[in-house]
Amino acid sequence: MEEKKFDVQSIIGFVLIFGILIFMFYQNRPTPEELAAEKAKQEQVEAAKASENLETETVGNNEPQLDLQDSTAVANYQGKLGAFGFTKPSNDITTLENDVLLLKISNKGGQIVEAKMKQYVTYDSVPVYLVKDGNASFALDFSTSDNRVLNTADLYFEPSMSNDNGNQVLSLKAKTSNNQYLEYRYVMKPNDYLVDFMIKSKGLDNVISTSKPVTLDWKLKGIRHSKSIQYENRYTRLTYNHEDGKISKLSEGSDDEETEEDIKWISYRQHFFSSILAADVPFKNGDLTSVNLVEEESRTFGFTKEYASALPVDLEGGEISKDLHWYFGPTDVDTLSKYEDLGLDDSIPFGWGIFGMINRYVFTPFYGLLSTYFPYGIAIVIMTILVRLAMSPVTYKSYLSQAKMKVLKPEITELGEKYKDNAMKKQQETMKLYGKAGVSPMSGCIPAVIQMPIFYALFMFFPTSFALRQKSFLWADDLSSFDTIYQFPEGFSIPFYGDHVSLFPILASIAIFFYMMMTTGQNMPTQPGMPNMKFIMYLMPFMMLFFFNNYASGLSLYYFVSNLITIGIMLVIKNFILDNDKIHAQIQENKKKPKKENKFQKKMREMMEQAEAQKKN
């Protein structure tokens, strides 16, 4: 019986091909002069983008800064605002702060101009900001009864701070008189990322035109937080929730826009952090836009996507009254699940259908439990071991099917030679042999299909698990991002591979290669005129090496350990559980037993016999 041997020449060949590719790309890397020219060109492009994006800010930001010391300029400016010129201009900033979140809110526009995560830093140890340096704007567009078109970003608000049972309350009023105003009210609770936000007007039923719409405009450019901007951008996405609980998303890879109805909340997700605007009473409709700002990997570019939402606000008796909530915080299931009434945890990209359910309700809590007792990398290893042990019966079924097919291989080869000029008869006799032996050629595929939900769920778990963010293991600094053992010189990058070498994907690819050699490498037939399936099988680990080089190192660690464990399980099954002689004897016994055909098998046999008869005629 043929023994399985590892094809050392193939391994050496792939290593040489990989080395030659790196050498070729390295030899053709840009010169210092070309790098300088490319850098200057990139700076011009980024400057143009920044200038273009500045034009999308609110009207107030496009106008020259008002000199509050110039009384004439102030009077002229207030005159443009009509009745809202009543409020005295002031550029002061008010700070709301608890243990986890810091917000700075400007009197000009009454909007949040800075939102800082107090417990998190970026990959380069800078505090995580979701709003900073004019990357966001929030305003109401409305018309007045004297035919003015105003934007609240142009209005000055008068602040007032108070305390309500330990909650910080900031009231900002854009007044038309002492008792008539438009109010923004922020309520920050202790140790909470969710800030209650109310928009309310009083006495403005004769000031705000009821014949024209009032629109809430919210824009934000996602600030880069991760080492790889392309990787972060892959999980940066505008997500929104309908009143019926349905979750919808704009494209994560290209520009996109939609007009939707019954919007309960809108999430501007920036991979591991989110800015969310939620409404107690859903918006009836809204125009949502996402613009992709990332064209290629860059070590300096600072933004991922630009989001915009335009949402109509209904008037009640000529007045505005809208209860909202701001969430600035981590895209973390433990944190977002606290707001069950708003359903904010649905903004996390667990995956779709059964895959997302496995990720959300099995792997996420299971890993959370393990990581409370073990270091994060060790927790991945333990979870991998337990998952593979749980799937070992499936592995056994798969290997048993392969062993049976191996035992039948000489007889299948004999049939191939006997009916080499009659493909139909060959297929018919082969299926008859399978039936007599009690072997199904599909039985090896079923275990693979069973494992697909696990594969996909884990594929989504590692890149999006907040618990893995900035957690180190061995040489990997961050299990939620790629590990780097060598960084190519600036300006040098291998297409589809990247500007660095990650070790975990190399180890995972090697393990996958040996696993495939053990399972199908020696039994995979090569048919004349058909692609060389062995070459395709050998190429797959090589492709995975490129694919995983820019993915989460935790995912590569999982596949490395998983394949090592699977190889170990299969060696145990092969050497201590399965006996080829017994399998052969069992197959021979099965052949002697009368085999009853089911309806499908009978129909297939009759069709093949008819085809054979027609061929003879």
PDB file of all heavy atoms in Angstrom, residues 459-475:
ATOM      1  N   PHE A 459     -13.107  33.932  11.626  1.00  0.00           N
ATOM      2  CA  PHE A 459     -12.536  34.920  10.701  1.00  0.00           C
ATOM      3  C   PHE A 459     -13.016  36.327  11.042  1.00  0.00           C
ATOM      4  O   PHE A 459     -12.279  37.299  10.895  1.00  0.00           O
ATOM      5  CB  PHE A 459     -12.929  34.552   9.268  1.00  0.00           C
ATOM      6  CG  PHE A 459     -12.333  35.452   8.225  1.00  0.00           C
ATOM      7  CD1 PHE A 459     -11.019  35.297   7.838  1.00  0.00           C
ATOM      8  CD2 PHE A 459     -13.086  36.455   7.632  1.00  0.00           C
ATOM      9  CE1 PHE A 459     -10.461  36.126   6.880  1.00  0.00           C
ATOM     10  CE2 PHE A 459     -12.544  37.286   6.671  1.00  0.00           C
ATOM     11  CZ  PHE A 459     -11.222  37.111   6.291  1.00  0.00           C
ATOM     12  N   MET A 460     -14.253  36.453  11.516  1.00  0.00           N
ATOM     13  CA  MET A 460     -14.795  37.747  11.922  1.00  0.00           C
ATOM     14  C   MET A 460     -14.448  38.080  13.372  1.00  0.00           C
ATOM     15  O   MET A 460     -14.355  39.254  13.735  1.00  0.00           O
ATOM     16  CB  MET A 460     -16.318  37.760  11.744  1.00  0.00           C
ATOM     17  CG  MET A 460     -16.778  37.703  10.310  1.00  0.00           C
ATOM     18  SD  MET A 460     -16.177  39.100   9.319  1.00  0.00           S
ATOM     19  CE  MET A 460     -16.957  40.482  10.163  1.00  0.00           C
ATOM     20  N   PHE A 461     -14.251  37.056  14.202  1.00  0.00           N
ATOM     21  CA  PHE A 461     -14.014  37.292  15.623  1.00  0.00           C
ATOM     22  C   PHE A 461     -12.692  38.010  15.878  1.00  0.00           C
ATOM     23  O   PHE A 461     -12.651  39.027  16.577  1.00  0.00           O
ATOM     24  CB  PHE A 461     -14.039  35.957  16.381  1.00  0.00           C
ATOM     25  CG  PHE A 461     -13.540  36.063  17.798  1.00  0.00           C
ATOM     26  CD1 PHE A 461     -14.339  36.607  18.795  1.00  0.00           C
ATOM     27  CD2 PHE A 461     -12.262  35.637  18.132  1.00  0.00           C
ATOM     28  CE1 PHE A 461     -13.872  36.726  20.092  1.00  0.00           C
ATOM     29  CE2 PHE A 461     -11.790  35.740  19.430  1.00  0.00           C
ATOM     30  CZ  PHE A 461     -12.601  36.290  20.419  1.00  0.00           C
ATOM     31  N   PHE A 462     -11.597  37.503  15.327  1.00  0.00           N
ATOM     32  CA  PHE A 462     -10.282  38.024  15.685  1.00  0.00           C
ATOM     33  C   PHE A 462     -10.047  39.472  15.243  1.00  0.00           C
ATOM     34  O   PHE A 462      -9.534  40.277  16.018  1.00  0.00           O
ATOM     35  CB  PHE A 462      -9.186  37.107  15.138  1.00  0.00           C
ATOM     36  CG  PHE A 462      -9.063  35.826  15.907  1.00  0.00           C
ATOM     37  CD1 PHE A 462      -9.608  34.652  15.410  1.00  0.00           C
ATOM     38  CD2 PHE A 462      -8.427  35.788  17.134  1.00  0.00           C
ATOM     39  CE1 PHE A 462      -9.517  33.466  16.119  1.00  0.00           C
ATOM     40  CE2 PHE A 462      -8.327  34.603  17.857  1.00  0.00           C
ATOM     41  CZ  PHE A 462      -8.877  33.439  17.354  1.00  0.00           C
ATOM     42  N   PRO A 463     -10.418  39.867  14.023  1.00  0.00           N
ATOM     43  CA  PRO A 463     -10.177  41.258  13.642  1.00  0.00           C
ATOM     44  C   PRO A 463     -11.082  42.268  14.352  1.00  0.00           C
ATOM     45  O   PRO A 463     -10.777  43.452  14.389  1.00  0.00           O
ATOM     46  CB  PRO A 463     -10.446  41.268  12.128  1.00  0.00           C
ATOM     47  CG  PRO A 463     -10.423  39.844  11.711  1.00  0.00           C
ATOM     48  CD  PRO A 463     -10.911  39.081  12.883  1.00  0.00           C
ATOM     49  N   THR A 464     -12.228  41.818  14.894  1.00  0.00           N
ATOM     50  CA  THR A 464     -13.188  42.769  15.463  1.00  0.00           C
ATOM     51  C   THR A 464     -13.351  42.644  16.967  1.00  0.00           C
ATOM     52  O   THR A 464     -14.126  43.392  17.563  1.00  0.00           O
ATOM     53  CB  THR A 464     -14.571  42.581  14.807  1.00  0.00           C
ATOM     54  OG1 THR A 464     -15.024  41.232  15.033  1.00  0.00           O
ATOM     55  CG2 THR A 464     -14.500  42.831  13.310  1.00  0.00           C
ATOM     56  N   SER A 465     -12.636  41.713  17.602  1.00  0.00           N
ATOM     57  CA  SER A 465     -12.743  41.540  19.049  1.00  0.00           C
ATOM     58  C   SER A 465     -11.983  42.647  19.770  1.00  0.00           C
ATOM     59  O   SER A 465     -10.744  42.716  19.713  1.00  0.00           O
ATOM     60  CB  SER A 465     -12.193  40.172  19.466  1.00  0.00           C
ATOM     61  OG  SER A 465     -12.173  40.059  20.874  1.00  0.00           O
ATOM     62  N   PHE A 466     -12.725  43.505  20.463  1.00  0.00           N
ATOM     63  CA  PHE A 466     -12.087  44.608  21.169  1.00  0.00           C
ATOM     64  C   PHE A 466     -11.171  44.097  22.283  1.00  0.00           C
ATOM     65  O   PHE A 466     -10.189  44.751  22.644  1.00  0.00           O
ATOM     66  CB  PHE A 466     -13.150  45.543  21.766  1.00  0.00           C
ATOM     67  CG  PHE A 466     -12.597  46.830  22.302  1.00  0.00           C
ATOM     68  CD1 PHE A 466     -12.375  47.904  21.461  1.00  0.00           C
ATOM     69  CD2 PHE A 466     -12.279  46.966  23.650  1.00  0.00           C
ATOM     70  CE1 PHE A 466     -11.851  49.090  21.948  1.00  0.00           C
ATOM     71  CE2 PHE A 466     -11.757  48.145  24.147  1.00  0.00           C
ATOM     72  CZ  PHE A 466     -11.548  49.210  23.289  1.00  0.00           C
ATOM     73  N   ALA A 467     -11.485  42.913  22.809  1.00  0.00           N
ATOM     74  CA  ALA A 467     -10.676  42.352  23.895  1.00  0.00           C
ATOM     75  C   ALA A 467      -9.233  42.106  23.461  1.00  0.00           C
ATOM     76  O   ALA A 467      -8.317  42.095  24.298  1.00  0.00           O
ATOM     77  CB  ALA A 467     -11.302  41.047  24.383  1.00  0.00           C
ATOM     78  N   LEU A 468      -8.996  41.915  22.154  1.00  0.00           N
ATOM     79  CA  LEU A 468      -7.653  41.636  21.653  1.00  0.00           C
ATOM     80  C   LEU A 468      -6.864  42.902  21.334  1.00  0.00           C
ATOM     81  O   LEU A 468      -5.657  42.830  21.103  1.00  0.00           O
ATOM     82  CB  LEU A 468      -7.739  40.779  20.382  1.00  0.00           C
ATOM     83  CG  LEU A 468      -8.245  39.347  20.572  1.00  0.00           C
ATOM     84  CD1 LEU A 468      -8.409  38.679  19.211  1.00  0.00           C
ATOM     85  CD2 LEU A 468      -7.299  38.546  21.437  1.00  0.00           C
ATOM     86  N   ARG A 469      -7.534  44.043  21.319  1.00  0.00           N
ATOM     87  CA  ARG A 469      -6.871  45.282  20.903  1.00  0.00           C
ATOM     88  C   ARG A 469      -5.683  45.612  21.806  1.00  0.00           C
ATOM     89  O   ARG A 469      -5.804  45.672  23.024  1.00  0.00           O
ATOM     90  CB  ARG A 469      -7.866  46.446  20.920  1.00  0.00           C
ATOM     91  CG  ARG A 469      -7.257  47.763  20.446  1.00  0.00           C
ATOM     92  CD  ARG A 469      -8.257  48.897  20.484  1.00  0.00           C
ATOM     93  NE  ARG A 469      -7.648  50.115  19.985  1.00  0.00           N
ATOM     94  CZ  ARG A 469      -7.024  50.998  20.765  1.00  0.00           C
ATOM     95  NH1 ARG A 469      -6.962  50.805  22.075  1.00  0.00           N
ATOM     96  NH2 ARG A 469      -6.471  52.073  20.247  1.00  0.00           N
ATOM     97  N   GLN A 470      -4.515  45.766  21.165  1.00  0.00           N
ATOM     98  CA  GLN A 470      -3.261  46.146  21.833  1.00  0.00           C
ATOM     99  C   GLN A 470      -2.841  45.160  22.918  1.00  0.00           C
ATOM    100  O   GLN A 470      -2.114  45.517  23.840  1.00  0.00           O
ATOM    101  CB  GLN A 470      -3.376  47.568  22.403  1.00  0.00           C
ATOM    102  CG  GLN A 470      -3.566  48.624  21.339  1.00  0.00           C
ATOM    103  CD  GLN A 470      -3.545  50.040  21.873  1.00  0.00           C
ATOM    104  OE1 GLN A 470      -3.690  50.270  23.075  1.00  0.00           O
ATOM    105  NE2 GLN A 470      -3.376  51.015  20.991  1.00  0.00           N
ATOM    106  N   LYS A 471      -3.279  43.894  22.775  1.00  0.00           N
ATOM    107  CA  LYS A 471      -2.818  42.848  23.685  1.00  0.00           C
ATOM    108  C   LYS A 471      -1.683  42.099  22.997  1.00  0.00           C
ATOM    109  O   LYS A 471      -1.842  41.612  21.871  1.00  0.00           O
ATOM    110  CB  LYS A 471      -3.963  41.887  24.042  1.00  0.00           C
ATOM    111  CG  LYS A 471      -5.154  42.567  24.709  1.00  0.00           C
ATOM    112  CD  LYS A 471      -4.739  43.278  25.982  1.00  0.00           C
ATOM    113  CE  LYS A 471      -5.939  43.789  26.777  1.00  0.00           C
ATOM    114  NZ  LYS A 471      -6.778  44.739  26.034  1.00  0.00           N
ATOM    115  N   SER A 472      -0.551  41.980  23.664  1.00  0.00           N
ATOM    116  CA  SER A 472       0.640  41.400  23.052  1.00  0.00           C
ATOM    117  C   SER A 472       0.761  39.914  23.372  1.00  0.00           C
ATOM    118  O   SER A 472       0.207  39.423  24.359  1.00  0.00           O
ATOM    119  CB  SER A 472       1.895  42.139  23.536  1.00  0.00           C
ATOM    120  OG  SER A 472       2.035  42.008  24.947  1.00  0.00           O
ATOM    121  N   PHE A 473       1.514  39.212  22.516  1.00  0.00           N
ATOM    122  CA  PHE A 473       1.832  37.805  22.741  1.00  0.00           C
ATOM    123  C   PHE A 473       3.076  37.470  21.941  1.00  0.00           C
ATOM    124  O   PHE A 473       3.117  37.686  20.723  1.00  0.00           O
ATOM    125  CB  PHE A 473       0.664  36.910  22.321  1.00  0.00           C
ATOM    126  CG  PHE A 473       0.922  35.447  22.531  1.00  0.00           C
ATOM    127  CD1 PHE A 473       1.095  34.940  23.811  1.00  0.00           C
ATOM    128  CD2 PHE A 473       0.995  34.579  21.463  1.00  0.00           C
ATOM    129  CE1 PHE A 473       1.334  33.592  24.018  1.00  0.00           C
ATOM    130  CE2 PHE A 473       1.235  33.223  21.659  1.00  0.00           C
ATOM    131  CZ  PHE A 473       1.402  32.732  22.941  1.00  0.00           C
ATOM    132  N   LEU A 474       4.090  36.959  22.628  1.00  0.00           N
ATOM    133  CA  LEU A 474       5.378  36.660  22.014  1.00  0.00           C
ATOM    134  C   LEU A 474       5.890  37.896  21.262  1.00  0.00           C
ATOM    135  O   LEU A 474       6.021  38.958  21.840  1.00  0.00           O
ATOM    136  CB  LEU A 474       5.251  35.433  21.106  1.00  0.00           C
ATOM    137  CG  LEU A 474       4.834  34.126  21.823  1.00  0.00           C
ATOM    138  CD1 LEU A 474       4.670  32.981  20.814  1.00  0.00           C
ATOM    139  CD2 LEU A 474       5.820  33.754  22.906  1.00  0.00           C
ATOM    140  N   TRP A 475       6.120  37.795  19.954  1.00  0.00           N
ATOM    141  CA  TRP A 475       6.653  38.934  19.204  1.00  0.00           C
ATOM    142  C   TRP A 475       5.557  39.859  18.671  1.00  0.00           C
ATOM    143  O   TRP A 475       5.843  40.905  18.114  1.00  0.00           O
ATOM    144  CB  TRP A 475       7.491  38.432  18.023  1.00  0.00           C
ATOM    145  CG  TRP A 475       6.730  37.512  17.119  1.00  0.00           C
ATOM    146  CD1 TRP A 475       5.913  37.856  16.089  1.00  0.00           C
ATOM    147  CD2 TRP A 475       6.694  36.084  17.199  1.00  0.00           C
ATOM    148  NE1 TRP A 475       5.353  36.748  15.519  1.00  0.00           N
ATOM    149  CE2 TRP A 475       5.823  35.643  16.168  1.00  0.00           C
ATOM    150  CE3 TRP A 475       7.301  35.149  18.038  1.00  0.00           C
ATOM    151  CZ2 TRP A 475       5.567  34.289  15.956  1.00  0.00           C
ATOM    152  CZ3 TRP A 475       7.036  33.803  17.818  1.00  0.00           C
ATOM    153  CH2 TRP A 475       6.185  33.389  16.797  1.00  0.00           C
TER     154      TRP A 475
END
